[in-house]
Amino acid sequence: MFKAVMICALFGLALAAVHQPQPQHVEHHVVGHPDDVHAEVLSRKDDVRADGFDASLETSNHITRQDSGDEHGNIQGSYGWISPEGQHIEIKFVADENGYQPTGDAIPAVPEHVARTLAWNAAHSHEEVAHHLHH
């Protein structure tokens, strides 16, 4: 009986392999330069210590990353790449108790009316804001 079950199982596996659907061709669109998929790491540094870390990366397609952090979880650094239009993009950032704070020419500016609203909210207590909204 055991041999019959094993033969049926092997026959089933063989049949399943023969009738397995063939994968459909999927066209992949690469953003950036076509050679990006073949980029190589030119340099990499990862230094992790009890009091923080330093890390950097540079690839052959001009992607860079440099950051450092301390034992409190504060991180600062930058990363960059070449846009599809050929422009060098660099973002600098700080990540700390105030959240992730990026800066760079590629980051859109906060509209003036939003900046005024944020400043007003920061200058007033939560109760004042709630009272102002209800009246």
Side-chain angles (χ1 to χ4, degrees):
M1 178 71 173
F2 179 74
K3 288 183 182 179
V5 171
M6 289 302 293
I7 291 172
C8 287
L10 289 173
F11 181 72
L13 285 173
L15 188 60
V18 169
H19 291 336
Q20 193 159 19
Q22 297 298 314
Q24 302 265 336
H25 173 71
V26 178
E27 187 173 326
H28 296 281
H29 296 282
V30 177
V31 176
H33 196 274
D35 290 337
D36 285 350
V37 296
H38 302 292
E40 296 179 11
V41 174
L42 299 177
S43 69
R44 179 177 176 175
K45 175 186 154 196
D46 295 298
D47 180 21
V48 180
R49 305 172 308 278
D51 65 342
F53 73 92
D54 291 302
S56 65
L57 173 73
E58 181 180 2
T59 65
S60 60
N61 61 344
H62 308 290
I63 293 174
T64 59
R65 184 198 98 216
Q66 300 169 348
D67 46 2
S68 61
D70 64 25
E71 69 271 15
H72 304 293
N74 301 312
I75 301 172
Q76 63 183 9
S78 65
Y79 51 93
W81 68 94
I82 304 296
S83 74
E85 298 79 25
Q87 180 183 6
H88 180 257
I89 306 293
E90 183 176 28
I91 305 296
K92 294 181 180 183
F93 69 91
V94 172
D96 58 16
E97 66 275 359
N98 296 316
Y100 178 73
Q101 305 153 55
T103 59
D105 293 340
I107 297 176
V110 174
E112 181 58 35
H113 70 282
V114 173
R116 282 195 314 268
T117 301
L118 291 172
W120 189 90
N121 287 343
H124 296 83
S125 70
H126 176 71
E127 291 79 21
E128 287 179 289
V129 173
H131 178 75
H132 180 75
L133 291 175
H134 292 294
H135 288 89

